[in-house]
Amino acid sequence: MTFIVKPRLVHAGMPRNSLGLTLRDYEGAMSTLCAGCGHDSVSAALVQAFFELDMPQEQVAKMSGIGCSSKTPAYFLRGAHGINAVHGRMPAVATGAAGANRTLCAIGVSGDGDSLSIGLGQFAHAIRRNLDMLYVIENNGVYGLTKGQFSASADVGSAAKKGEVNQQPPIDPVLLALTLGAGFIARGFSGDKPQLVPLIKAAIRHRGFALVDVLSPCVTFNDHESSTKSYAHVRKHDVEMVHADFVPHAEPIVAESEAGKVTPVTLHDGARVLLRRVSQDYDASDRANAFTHLVECQARGEIPTGLLFFDEARADMHGIANTVDEPLATLPFAQLCPGAEALDKLQARWR
Ligand code: SF4
């Protein structure tokens, strides 16, 4: 991956956190995503959350798979550890990183394609193991990096850029996580930073698997071919001299929600979604209640947002596997390698 270094302009009056760092210090490389892509707003929310939590960057391991969303970790926390894994395999890498060093704050950024198709098994087992991590899904219903095919979260009836209509029912990561026993489940919208930042902060502080599903519009593949003003239409009636592509400039969508209220949001292609933020008296500790709320919202054509379920009683992966407190890299060799005699004894048990 090629990085474009962002100029670091720090105004003398910029607020600093308890580590003496500014918001700028928590940024990453210059984004190469399309202008207006919701994922950049998610990066900005992550920057804000880590800044407000006074998080030392060397304590963070940021991981991703493949897709537009998986480029995101390059755009925040330039001083953190990071690995860009293969498609759908980020949870396995996160399991290894967290297992080797439980003092790290593990964060995975994935997409609906990366998590709900090729990576669905990995996603499910990370929840089942209660891996101590923040798992962000930047959810836009399409494979942006490979030019806008439907992903497994695309709604029935939604149209792709080429005009075909999706007929397969979506996989809802929130409902799935609820069914699989996740202890922290939230949904936000990339254009609602005041709601998203606290959700991310709470998810980082949660011990165990914390899912934050973020609706993050893809500005490029909401541009339908049925429009005579679309890029696809122009290309069809044009004589191609050289194959080139162009991504139109777009502004990020911003919409702040209110507790208990429905916020209509118009996407770049004119489609409207209804975001329902949970009310003040919503009980996020009751799994059955959360399930009913999600299904009722779905039936009304609304997308529920906010902290949807929370339970910290379940032991996380470290508690279940009884991992050591210290990072493996700091343990003395004798403790890491008990020697040939101990290994012989262990192997004798299976003979
Ligand atoms: Fe974002 Fe879509 Fe562009 Fe990918 S193709 S960077 S998801 S707007």
Side-chain angles (χ1 to χ4, degrees), residues 32-39 68-69 140 142-145 216-221 247:
T32 55
L33 302 178
C34 308
C37 176
H39 301 354
C68 294
S69 58
N140 56 20
V142 292
Y143 285 89
L145 202 63
S216 178
C218 169
V219 295
T220 303
F221 294 102
V247 174

Side-chain angles (χ1 to χ4, degrees), residues 95-329:
T95 305
N101 186 349
R102 66 187 289 178
T103 66
L104 282 178
C105 167
I107 160 168
V109 183
S110 183
D112 35 305
D114 195 53
S115 285
L116 303 179
S117 289
I118 191 168
L120 188 62
Q122 296 242 336
F123 174 63
H125 284 276
I127 295 175
R128 188 169 160 262
R129 263 181 242 123
N130 204 14
L131 183 58
D132 189 14
M133 73 177 298
L134 161 61
Y135 194 113
V136 176
I137 299 184
E138 295 178 335
N139 196 342
N140 56 20
V142 292
Y143 285 89
L145 202 63
T146 51
K147 309 280 184 240
Q149 301 87 348
F150 292 124
S151 80
S153 71
D155 289 314
V156 173
S158 59
K161 192 174 182 179
K162 296 252 164 147
E164 71 268 34
V165 176
N166 177 46
Q167 296 181 32
Q168 298 186 55
I171 295 175
D172 181 336
V174 162
L175 272 176
L176 186 63
L178 202 58
T179 314
L180 290 167
F184 184 108
I185 305 167
R187 181 181 273 139
F189 171 54
S190 59
D192 189 352
K193 205 171 165 192
Q195 183 196 35
L196 187 55
V197 173
L199 288 177
I200 291 173
K201 284 165 70 178
I204 291 169
R205 288 291 182 231
H206 176 73
R207 187 184 43 77
F209 190 91
L211 172 68
V212 181
D213 180 40
V214 188
L215 300 167
S216 178
C218 169
V219 295
T220 303
F221 294 102
N222 285 338
D223 183 30
H224 296 171
E225 201 180 43
S226 50
S227 162
T228 54
K229 292 180 177 60
S230 71
Y231 288 93
H233 180 90
V234 174
R235 268 189 221 110
K236 197 170 164 192
H237 296 88
D238 202 353
V239 180
E240 191 176 43
M241 302 301 287
V242 58
H243 183 71
D245 208 346
F246 176 70
V247 174
H249 179 84
E251 292 299 323
I253 301 169
V254 177
E256 289 185 19
S257 58
E258 268 183 78
K261 299 253 170 72
V262 171
T263 309
V265 175
T266 305
L267 302 178
H268 293 92
D269 66 342
R272 233 166 65 116
V273 290
L274 302 173
L275 306 181
R276 176 177 286 278
R277 183 166 172 168
V278 289
S279 59
Q280 301 282 16
D281 57 359
Y282 173 81
D283 182 4
S285 67
D286 184 336
R287 198 178 291 272
N289 176 52
F291 196 85
T292 308
H293 177 70
L294 288 165
V295 173
E296 283 176 358
C297 284
Q298 238 173 30
R300 289 195 298 264
E302 298 166 358
I303 301 170
T305 68
L307 177 56
L308 300 166
F309 180 71
F310 178 72
D311 169 24
E312 230 179 2
R314 227 185 111 203
D316 72 344
M317 183 187 79
H318 298 293
I320 296 165
N322 197 22
T323 60
V324 287
D325 290 338
E326 304 83 16
L328 297 188

